[in-house]
Amino acid sequence: MEASKKIKVLLVRPKFSSIVANLEPLGLEYIAGLCRDLGVECEIFDEFQYSRCFRFSRLSRKIEKGGYDFVGFHANANTSDYIINTSDKLKKKFPNLYIMVGGPEAELNYKDFFTDSIDLVYHDNGLNSLKNIFLEGFLPEVLNKQNGVCFKINDEWVVKEKGAPVDNFITRPDRTAFNKGLKKNFIFLKGSFAIAKASFSCPFECTFCYCTKMNSGVYTERPIMDVIDEIESIEHPRIWFVDDTFLVDKERVKRFCEVIIERKIKKHFLAYSRADFLAENPDILPLMYKAGFRDILVGLEAVSDDLLDEYNKQTSKDVNTQAIKNLADNNIVCNGLFVVSHKSSRQDFKELYRFIKKNNLLWVVFGIFTPYKGTDAYDEYKERLIKFKSKRLDGLHITIKPEKMSSFMFMVRVYMLYVLTYPKIICRTIFKTAYDTKRTGWF
Ligand code: SF4
């Protein structure tokens, strides 16, 4: 199938601060894949490849030189203000430029992008509506027939409801941007990773979680053989499954591992899991190790049952401990993810560090509790938000006043967690023992 009219599309991933990772823009690569299938000329402009200086002039030059008439921004919670401001400036400079916004923030909070300069907000599940638009044109009568799009007629926004949840992609990603950006691709101290997605949303409902609201809040899984075919075609030794939780259906995971082993696909896999799956299913871990799983990111979140209950995590401190042990026994690294609550006392910070030491947890990441707009936590805390600017929504900033200490002391204690834990990770990485899960010392 061919697109209706020759258009040139520039897909932009805005840069945001991240010292932990810089990975390929998978969402945009799926759109680039769709454009490739339809014969639409398209390029990804990944701002992560450039410095922050002269951002606007660099982007303007790109649009001008390339003769792009459509620009699509990929929006995260921490880039929405930048996108809105940049769209205003672009529209002044290029009045005929058609500006679209999509991505997770548009999917959840599409109304935030209803500005004069933005022409289309895409909040649908999956890419079917976008495919129809590319085929039939960006005309009001075409847009009016689609699901999950917002557009303007006579300066009034028209909102089309989302379509049904999706359970697969309609194309393969075009990984040109991945190959181009490989030199700058990294996860802190782990090297470069390609990313893949094997499911949509999450079957659980933690109060602070943004991911579980995706795909209309419905968890679906891609056919596992399709996922394996895609993995096999990726020419990179390390793959990160960015599924919100990859380990849900034990039989599916087993099938995945068996086929990976059968087909002799040799990769280092990294994936997210809940602690309860790991605590309850130690028998699958040897097979996962054999298939190449070396890293699991575990949402441990907290070390007190009260806080875990408050997050609606449906786990416990004991479950967390068991999950860490099961992974270590099977030589798979547990990357512990913690949410530092604004309710934490000095004692809670101490308890958290004590838990990390006691359980010989080497790899850890701390995020400050942030009630992202669209989550249940946002509804609970919206009256108490402070400095709730999009660029501060990254888990590194305070957005609710700490209850048991000053903001200054809270930040000092968060930094102290890093100071107490990261030198050891760096040291063990230098001595090439950071993946030895039985080792306890610094070397
Ligand atoms: S935090 Fe993890 S387990 Fe909880 S809803 Fe989000 S993705 Fe699911």
Side-chain angles (χ1 to χ4, degrees), residues 116 192 426 438:
D116 290 346
S192 57
I426 294 168
K438 312 275 172 20

Coordinates of all heavy atoms in Angstrom, one line a residue, residues 116 192 426 438:
D116 N -2.4 26.3 20.3 CA -2.7 26.8 18.9 C -1.7 26.2 17.9 O -2.0 26.0 16.8 CB -2.5 28.3 19.0 CG -3.6 29.0 19.7 OD1 -4.6 28.4 20.0 OD2 -3.4 30.2 20.1
S192 N 25.9 -1.1 25.9 CA 24.8 -0.7 25.0 C 23.8 -1.8 24.9 O 24.1 -3.0 25.0 CB 25.4 -0.4 23.6 OG 26.1 -1.6 23.1
I426 N 30.8 0.5 41.0 CA 31.9 0.9 40.0 C 33.1 0.1 40.2 O 33.7 -0.5 39.3 CB 32.2 2.5 40.2 CG1 31.0 3.3 39.8 CG2 33.4 2.9 39.4 CD1 31.0 4.8 40.2
K438 N 27.2 -14.0 44.1 CA 27.5 -14.6 45.4 C 28.5 -13.8 46.2 O 28.7 -14.0 47.4 CB 28.1 -16.1 45.2 CG 27.3 -16.9 44.3 CD 26.1 -17.6 45.0 CE 25.1 -18.4 44.1 NZ 25.5 -18.8 42.8

